[in-house]
Structure formats: C-alpha cells, structure tokens
Amino acid sequence: MTTNDAEREKELSAAAAVALVEDGMVVGLGTGSTAKHAVRMIGERVRAGLKIRGIPTSSVTKTQADQEGIPLVGFDEITKIDLTIDGADEFDPHLRLTKGGGGALLFEKIVAAASDRLIVVCDAKKEVPFLGAFPLPVEVVPFGWQQVAARIKELGAQAGLRTRSDGKPFVTDAHHYILDCRFGEIRDPPALARALDAIVGVVEHGLFIDLADRVILAEGDRVREIKRH
Ligand code: A5P
C-alpha cells in the first residue's frame, strides 16, 4: 500500500463519520492524521452553514479548528458531548483501542468518556486480532518517571521514554511525559488497564475499553462500519 492509498482510506473513513454530524451537536474533535481530515471536513460543513460547537482533544487540533472557523466550547459551557470523531493506533474485535501515538491520549480519553458516541476513524491496517503490536503509550508525571517505568517493566513490558527529535523528553499538553510500552500481544486488556491504573505516577494509559461505539474503516474504496455490541 502506498502513502497515497493510506491517506485516501483515512479521508474516506473521515467523510463517513462527518456525515453523522448534525445541527446543534457538541462534537469532540480528535487528534492525529485521520482526525485531521475529519476536522477539515467539519470546517467545510460549518462554512456551508452547519451549526455545531466543537471541543478539541489537543492544542494541535484546537489550532486547526480555529483556522477552520469551527466554534469551540470548553467543559465549563457544556454537560456532555453528543459525538466524538477520533482516530486509533489499533482496534481489536471488541472495539478496544490503543491510542496515544500522537501523545494526546489523556485529553482524548476525557473527551471520549464525556461523549454519548465515540466514532473511530481509521485505515485498514489498524484492525488487529489482539492489541499490542503498537507500543502502548502511558502518560506519566515527570517526577519519578523512572520508578513508574520500573513498575511497568515488572508487568512484562519494555518501557521507553518518548523523546523529541532533539533528544529531550516529549511533553504532553498537560505537561506530562509518555512511556511507550511494548507488552507484546495484550491478551487481557481490562486486566492490564487495571494494573496500570494502580501504579502511582501513571496519569492515564492508551487502552480505550468500552468507549468506542463504532469503527469506520476504509479498505481501498470500501468503507466498513463495525459497531460494538
Ligand atoms: C493521538 O494521540 C492518537 O490517539 C491518535 O488518535 C492515533 O494515534 C491515531 O492517529 P492516526 O490517525 O494519525 O493514525
């Protein structure tokens, strides 16, 4: 598959999700290369008259939404989000996700948890039988991160501090670090989620369980929808 094919799939998937957006909705705006297409398409619809309010999941998405002219709201102005459109790094047959490849997992999970519906948009290579080929991002407090990495290693993973191109630690929008953790095949995601939640210093992890309602996946020119039962 070429880069162009993957981009085309991302666009097709995003377009199908954006078609679900209706007047009056509060819409969660995801982060990443697929969600970016969705935000652009929502912008086009807003400029054509769609009346919605958006809530971005990262500073990058906020900047894009501002440029697109999408009216934004904060959590002080709303009680819930009608629909969120976001990408994923992997999803399994139970629509459990790995997220955080772009480093926005904390805000993404807060927005997803406040949403009536989370629609995941992605290209075909994100579908996996088991999560784990993609290293699991874990957001941690910078103070004592080495201790947190040691606890995660005890769970059976190699945990590496995410760094920027200049070698300095990558810092999230909430001023935390990210540990990219290689567990191999994750056979029991809820058990791993509980174990990570129990480590002091872990802010959040990229396992999204029971949050996604639907995955809209493009495979070549074909768009497929998978709903969670
Ligand atoms: C951002 O932190 C991530 O959760 C993204 O949603 C995820 O990495 C998917 O991104 P792509 O659409 O760029 O693959």
Side-chain angles (χ1 to χ4, degrees), residues 10 31-35 86-89 99-105 108 121 126:
K10 289 175 186 183
T31 297
S33 58
T34 319
D86 204 349
D89 299 306
K99 283 183 59 54
L105 67 102
E108 289 174 338
V121 286
K126 305 294 180 63

Side-chain angles (χ1 to χ4, degrees), residues 39-221:
V39 174
R40 172 174 53 77
M41 292 170 191
I42 290 171
E44 286 165 7
R45 288 191 59 196
V46 164
R47 293 193 293 283
L50 178 75
K51 299 267 178 290
I52 59 127
R53 293 175 297 162
I55 187 152
T57 53
S58 64
S59 53
V60 171
T61 298
K62 181 184 183 312
T63 301
Q64 187 197 355
D66 283 337
Q67 286 165 352
E68 294 286 350
I70 301 171
L72 299 180
V73 278
F75 278 104
D76 53 337
E77 297 166 81
I78 57 158
T79 50
K80 71 175 177 73
I81 298 166
D82 296 293
L83 177 78
T84 289
I85 301 174
D86 204 349
D89 299 306
E90 289 181 334
F91 73 91
D92 75 4
H94 305 281
L95 301 201
R96 299 178 292 207
L97 319 173
T98 297
K99 283 183 59 54
L105 67 102
L106 175 60
F107 291 0
E108 289 174 338
K109 201 179 264 191
I110 291 170
V111 168
S115 301
D116 280 349
R117 283 188 291 162
L118 171 61
I119 311 292
V120 174
V121 286
C122 60
D123 55 281
K125 66 176 187 300
K126 305 294 180 63
E127 186 174 26
V128 294
F130 295 100
L131 304 180
F134 191 92
L136 179 68
V138 178
E139 184 155 347
V140 301
V141 174
F143 180 81
W145 69 264
Q146 297 89 341
Q147 283 298 312
V148 179
R151 297 291 84 75
I152 293 174
K153 279 178 194 159
E154 287 169 7
L155 297 177
Q158 291 175 326
L161 182 67
R162 189 179 297 184
T163 52
R164 309 183 311 193
S165 51
D166 63 4
K168 298 209 170 104
F170 172 90
V171 178
T172 68
D173 280 342
H175 310 294
H176 300 129
Y177 289 171
I178 299 266
L179 298 173
D180 289 304
C181 304
R182 294 183 181 278
F183 285 95
E185 264 184 16
I186 300 172
R187 290 279 168 163
D188 189 346
L192 178 58
R194 285 192 297 275
L196 290 168
D197 286 334
I199 298 175
V200 176
V202 167
V203 179
E204 196 46 84
H205 53 76
L207 289 172
F208 282 47
I209 297 170
D210 294 341
L211 286 171
D213 295 280
R214 197 185 302 190
V215 170
I216 301 182
L217 168 82
E219 207 163 13
D221 285 335

